[in-house]
Amino acid sequence: MTEFAIADGRALGGSYRVVVTARSMMPAAVAALELTLHEIDAAASRFREDSELSRLNARRGGVVSPLLALAIGQALRGAEVTGGAVDPTVGCAVRLAGYDADFASVPSDGLALELVVQRVPGWETVQFDPASRMVLMPIGVELDLGATAKALAADLCAAAALKAVGSGGVLVSLGGDIALAGVPPEDGWPIQVSEDSSAVIEVGEETIAVTCGGVATSSTTVRRWNRGGAVLHHIIDPRTGLPAASPWRSATVVASSCVDANIASTAAIVLGTEAPSWLEERGMPARLVDAGGRVRRIGSWPNPEPGHSRLPADSQETRSRLVS
Ligand code: AMP
Ligand code: MG
């Protein structure tokens, strides 16, 4: 059995976990991960006034750094492949719904908000030229890269940590957005599925084994708050500009990268009843939990068997890369 070394820390307003199989190389893995996280935070955080993204939103355009260009490119690709279910122009709507600061600073209760049903401006209004890295946005557009930048960060951190470690395999989890790189442990990486990434690892919980790519969970149960008795949460339906009224309270997806897994998991919440067929058509193994806690497993996602705490879910051939 492969042995792991595990390190935990805090970053991007949440927790991180890095796991390596080359145990003595953990300090190098952590250093590479923290540097990458620092770079992503400085480029793409919407909670820091001094981030490159905040400055871009304030002046509605300009030439951006290669890293922010990568994040914007992924966000726009996410919008294209989901038909706009995942749309980075939700920025204003997320803020008006009350999620206007790092989540730890969002009060859990407050006075009623007057929210208006209004479609978000839409990702097609953003002009982006990857070659020159020039971005132009009309008035009223605020980019929020929340759904793709953290997952992209997980992919970049796993690649950077693997390069620093030099051998073996690396798992990086950023608040439950998980990216894998290098040679996996013999039985795959065991990943416990949970709506809350801070849940403790326990025998008996549903666990899958994955060898490469990424896993992401989107949920409406953790980042939620009350305003005047109404429950609001952080996943916006771009068609209404309001927290999505989804039949699913959480969606976990396995894909060829963490960013694709996350595009699909956020999309699943927004797509609602259409999500199972959308995921199936793309061959994406997924686990959806409805409001009553009933679980629906999609594609090659394994059914848990009594007595087994770990299940080999991995099946490379059925794992999809989202293409437009
Ligand atoms: P996730 O938890 O990965 O599904 O990402 C949710 C985060 O992405 C939220 O906290 C918002 O910052 C942002 N977001 C919310 N709704 C959407 C949406 N429909 N499309 C793109 N980003 C979104
Ligand atoms: Mg996510």
Side-chain angles (χ1 to χ4, degrees), residues 253-304:
V253 182
V254 182
S256 54
S257 64
C258 185
V259 78
D260 274 13
N262 205 119
I263 288 168
S265 65
T266 308
I269 300 284
V270 174
L271 291 171
T273 54
E274 289 170 39
S277 57
W278 190 90
L279 292 159
E280 257 154 30
E281 279 162 24
R282 286 158 184 79
M284 305 188 97
R287 181 181 184 274
L288 306 176
V289 183
D290 75 10
R294 281 173 297 269
V295 176
R296 176 147 174 196
R297 296 177 181 80
I298 312 275
S300 62
W301 190 284
N303 282 315

Side-chain angles (χ1 to χ4, degrees), residues 116-181:
V116 181
V117 177
Q118 190 176 22
R119 180 182 281 276
V120 304
W123 62 281
E124 300 98 329
T125 65
V126 178
Q127 291 179 45
F128 172 56
D129 176 34
S132 62
R133 306 196 304 272
M134 172 61 105
V135 182
L136 282 174
M137 308 183 292
I139 294 173
V141 171
E142 244 175 71
L143 291 181
D144 176 338
L145 305 178
T148 42
K150 185 152 67 77
L152 173 65
D155 286 327
L156 295 176
C157 283
L162 179 67
K163 195 166 169 214
V165 167
S167 66
V170 175
L171 175 153
V172 169
S173 170
L174 301 181
D177 288 349
I178 297 169
L180 311 169

Side-chain angles (χ1 to χ4, degrees), residues 46 85-88 90 94 99 144 146-147 218 234-236 238 262 266 270:
R46 74 180 169 97
V86 177
D87 184 324
V90 294
V94 176
Y99 190 3
D144 176 338
S218 292
H234 73 136
I235 299 183
I236 299 291
N262 205 119
T266 308
V270 174

